[in-house]
Amino acid sequence: MAFGVLMGQIAVIFLEVMLGYAGARCGVITDRDSRFLSDFIMKLLLPCTMLAGAAIDDEPEIVLQAGVLFVLLLALFIATTGICRLVSRVRRDTPGEAAVLVGTAAMPNCGFIGLPLCAALLGSARGTVFATVAMAAYNVWFFTYVVTLFRPGEKLHWKTFVTPANIATVAMLVLLATGWRLPGPVQTFCSTVGGCTTPLALMIVGVLLADSDIRALLHTGFLYRVTLLRGVVFPLLFMLVLWALPLDNVLRTGLSIIACCPAGSLAAVLAKQTGTEETLASQAVAHSTVCMLVTVPAMLLLTGVMFPM
């Protein structure tokens, strides 16, 4: 991964985030607009992006790579959850604080951040496949375990997993495994519409930052703990594990990209729904996202050195 290419892609990502930030600060994008765009992306644009990503020719190993990526990321989420639980016990966190730590430090933003980064650094098609499988692993662990920390005693329901994104994930994997292709006009439609996903997702991140009191983020030690674990400690540990495993560097890079993403925003949504440390959860997501401007480039540069492509 050439330094100039990496920094150029990060610059583009930063500018798209700042566009959303500027739009929110100027009143062009309201909180209502942000919620609408988030739903629009996750329920309509993202499935199109996933289906478009299935058009990878002459790369039969992609299905095997997707399977390995899913297993390793699920193992990562389980391991980081265990570490977060241990840290919370040592720090004597309240149950609410422990839930927020797991939901933010252990669970990366595979969608709004992971997808753009993977697409930019690995190519649109392969990057989309990797990020999509990462989101599937995220959903499995988040909705089978993490959600129980915010809603103790609540039973898991199968309908939780029936979402447009998960349906599109299954369809994408079927297309990849069978070699089938969408009809030409449908493929063109999915590619064109899906191309809007990355910039809009990054603009939503900018809106999130605009809604946060940046100065208030500087005075809470818990937030630094989240960012340190999510942005530095966990990616470094995971990259060391990947270095020891017999994997090709493309797959290692994809896994490293997901591992270094900032905190996922779903924890803040769930915290607000359940009334569980909702302010702290929102601040943790915002703090981690602001610090990604330093942590993500640093981790990706290290990734490029360890796993040159």
Side-chain angles (χ1 to χ4, degrees):
M1 191 185 308
F3 177 81
V5 173
L6 172 60
M7 296 311 296
Q9 295 292 352
I10 290 174
V12 171
I13 289 171
F14 174 77
L15 291 173
E16 289 173 340
V17 170
M18 294 311 298
L19 181 61
Y21 180 88
R25 296 295 292 181
C26 296
V28 176
I29 304 175
T30 65
D31 184 59
R32 181 180 178 182
D33 297 331
S34 175
R35 290 197 298 270
F36 164 75
L37 286 174
S38 296
D39 286 341
F40 186 66
I41 291 168
M42 296 305 295
K43 295 178 180 179
L44 294 177
L45 294 187
L46 186 57
C48 290
T49 304
M50 294 173 177
L51 293 176
I56 299 181
D57 295 319
D58 302 322
E59 295 192 39
E61 79 282 357
I62 190 68
V63 177
L64 177 59
Q65 288 183 333
V68 173
L69 186 140
F70 180 90
V71 171
L72 288 178
L73 283 180
L74 190 57
L76 171 67
F77 299 154
I78 294 172
T80 53
T81 294
I83 295 173
C84 287
R85 296 287 286 172
L86 179 61
V87 170
S88 287
R89 184 173 300 179
V90 171
R91 300 288 299 183
R92 297 183 179 179
D93 291 338
T94 65
E97 290 172 336
V100 170
L101 186 66
V102 170
T104 54
M107 308 302 294
N109 193 329
C110 303
F112 289 161
I113 301 296
L115 177 61
L117 281 175
C118 286
L121 300 176
L122 298 176
S124 178
R126 182 182 295 275
T128 298
V129 172
F130 280 13
T132 298
V133 173
M135 284 185 277
Y138 178 104
N139 288 338
V140 167
W141 185 242
F142 192 93
F143 289 108
T144 54
Y145 178 77
V146 178
V147 71
T148 65
L149 301 178
F150 290 88
R151 296 171 176 167
E154 181 173 302
K155 294 183 179 179
L156 179 68
H157 199 284
W158 65 269
K159 290 183 179 179
T160 302
F161 296 97
V162 183
T163 66
N166 286 345
I167 293 171
T169 298
V170 173
M172 180 198 72
L173 293 175
V174 169
L175 291 171
L176 288 171
T178 60
W180 297 341
R181 291 292 179 264
L182 297 172
V186 177
Q187 177 65 40
T188 301
F189 167 79
C190 289
S191 298
T192 303
V193 173
C196 303
T197 303
T198 293
L200 282 177
L202 290 169
M203 290 178 204
I204 294 299
V205 174
V207 173
L208 171 67
L209 297 182
D211 289 338
S212 305
D213 185 347
I214 303 299
R215 289 174 296 181
L217 302 181
L218 301 176
H219 305 296
T220 306
F222 181 91
L223 305 182
Y224 288 95
R225 194 197 319 167
V226 169
T227 296
L228 182 63
L229 289 172
R230 172 70 267 138
V232 180
V233 176
F234 291 157
L236 285 177
L237 292 176
F238 194 46
M239 282 190 278
L240 288 175
V241 172
L242 294 176
W243 181 76
L245 294 176
L247 304 172
D248 66 78
N249 283 351
V250 173
L251 182 55
R252 284 169 168 163
T253 299
L255 286 161
S256 299
I257 291 172
I258 298 299
C260 74
C261 287
S265 57
L266 193 54
V269 174
L270 187 57
K272 187 172 184 179
Q273 291 175 345
T274 59
T276 306
E277 297 285 0
E278 54 186 283
T279 300
L280 186 65
S282 297
Q283 289 178 335
V285 172
H287 192 276
S288 176
T289 304
V290 170
C291 292
M292 71 167 277
L293 300 176
V294 175
T295 59
V296 169
M299 291 299 104
L300 291 181
L301 285 173
L302 180 59
T303 298
V305 173
M306 293 180 67
F307 314 128
M309 293 191 296

